[in-house]
Amino acid sequence: MSIAIEAEGLVKRFGTTTALDGVDLSVPAGTILGVLGPNGAGKTTAVRVLATLLTPDAGYARVCGFDVVRSPAAVRSRIALTGQYASVDEDLSGTENLVMLARLLGFPRRDAKAAARDLLSRFALTDVAGRSVKTYSGGMRRRLDLAASLVGDPDVLYLDEPTTGLDPRSRGEVWDTIRGLVADGVTVLLTTQYLDEADQLADSIAVIDRGQLIATGTPDELKAQVGDQTIEVRPVDPGRLEEVAAIVASVTRVEPARDLARSLVTAPVVEPAMLADVVRRLDDAGIVPGELGLRRASLDEVFLTLTGHPAEEAA
Ligand SMILES: Nc1ncnc2c1ncn2[C@@H]1O[C@H](COP(=O)(O)OP(=O)(O)OP(=O)(O)O)[C@@H](O)[C@H]1O
Ligand SMILES: [Mg+2]
């Protein structure tokens, strides 16, 4: 499989801020890489470097085999970027926006109209094609944004937080759209602060924090790296939560998380046999579990284990 996006040792500084601090990436053609990180992690900076909008201070990146610094025009002709903030013209209709973009890319008028019609239908926007964009819902607008980025038929698509601010239904629609693009052979680099979004869409995930890659792998590999599973214990008597936490800590050798509202203790587990140990120790202590089991770790827990702080808190 050919590599569509390749970066090694990317560094980008803004004054005293090091936004990218030696980032390596490798994205096989036709796959989705999810770049996951909290506010200020360096996600947009990485996208802007890979889109030739910023010059790296060190390291290199190639997109479709072209160096972003030495051959920016060749890179630009193969990519499209949907930014964190919508880029379509509010006062124009969906059709007018897409026709205008196609004309800017040099399409003859008839072809521009045909391309606009095709894209609007593909993104389920035909019914609102003639309305001005300011009357669109957030989900419609985001879909038009995606449609706009496809006018030039890119090989590589950068989506910077494509679903931030959308309601669950619109997020689902955008996810379906992204899956459709990849099925058509487009390579996607998607940034997100949503752990479930990366889990849902990405073939592989790069977790970045403060400009550095702190983990890479498939969603499953990431989960395996920090304990594939999570043990959960809820004592019938909430007053014994701390005793449960101490038992779980001594078996898993990890400081467990305590959910006081649900009186639940959770910790990452590397060996399934640890569950039996916990059961035995609870029994010895005369603690009756109301709930006890193993489940797959969520990416939230992965992030917490990798960074030592919750994803939400880093902002
Ligand atoms: N043009 C700029 N000038 C100065 N500092 C910048 C500039 N762009 C980004 N930064 C800084 O670089 C760091 C990384 O920013 P970046 O926008 O890449 O983060 P992000 O991961 O996209 O965050 P968010 O999730 O909030 O979009 C931040 O500390 C930010 O303040
Ligand atoms: Mg950003």
Side-chain angles (χ1 to χ4, degrees), residues 12-15 17-20 35-48 54 84-85 160-161 164 191-193 208 210-211 315:
K12 181 67 194 177
R13 294 185 200 91
F14 298 105
T17 305
T18 304
L20 295 179
V35 176
L36 183 68
N39 286 122
K43 303 182 296 298
T44 297
T45 304
V47 165
R48 290 174 61 82
L54 285 174
Q84 200 165 354
Y85 307 100
D160 196 6
E161 301 197 23
T164 296
T191 77
T192 184
Q193 299 186 42
I208 68 172
R210 292 157 200 173

Side-chain angles (χ1 to χ4, degrees), residues 94-95 98 115-126 129 136 144 147:
T95 299
L98 296 187
R117 207 166 28 240
D118 279 356
L119 284 165
L120 289 162
S121 130
R122 193 157 140 205
F123 288 81
L125 291 167
T126 304
Y136 283 21
L144 182 65

Side-chain angles (χ1 to χ4, degrees), residues 172-205:
E173 288 170 3
V174 170
W175 287 353
D176 286 342
T177 309
I178 295 170
R179 290 191 186 102
L181 298 177
V182 175
D184 288 349
V186 178
T187 305
V188 173
L189 186 153
L190 162 121
T191 77
T192 184
Q193 299 186 42
Y194 298 119
L195 307 155
D196 64 324
E197 182 156 284
D199 199 8
Q200 279 276 334
L201 290 178
D203 298 294
S204 65
I205 298 177

Side-chain angles (χ1 to χ4, degrees), residues 118-141:
D118 279 356
L119 284 165
L120 289 162
S121 130
R122 193 157 140 205
F123 288 81
L125 291 167
T126 304
D127 290 348
V128 296
R131 266 168 42 185
S132 81
V133 171
K134 51 175 177 273
T135 70
Y136 283 21
S137 70
M140 290 174 188
R141 203 172 295 218

Side-chain angles (χ1 to χ4, degrees), residues 286-308:
I287 298 173
V288 183
E291 202 180 298
L292 183 139
L294 286 178
R295 62 169 171 75
R296 273 186 105 60
S298 74
L299 277 172
D300 277 304
E301 289 159 338
V302 169
F303 201 91
L304 178 61
T305 311
L306 290 171
T307 63

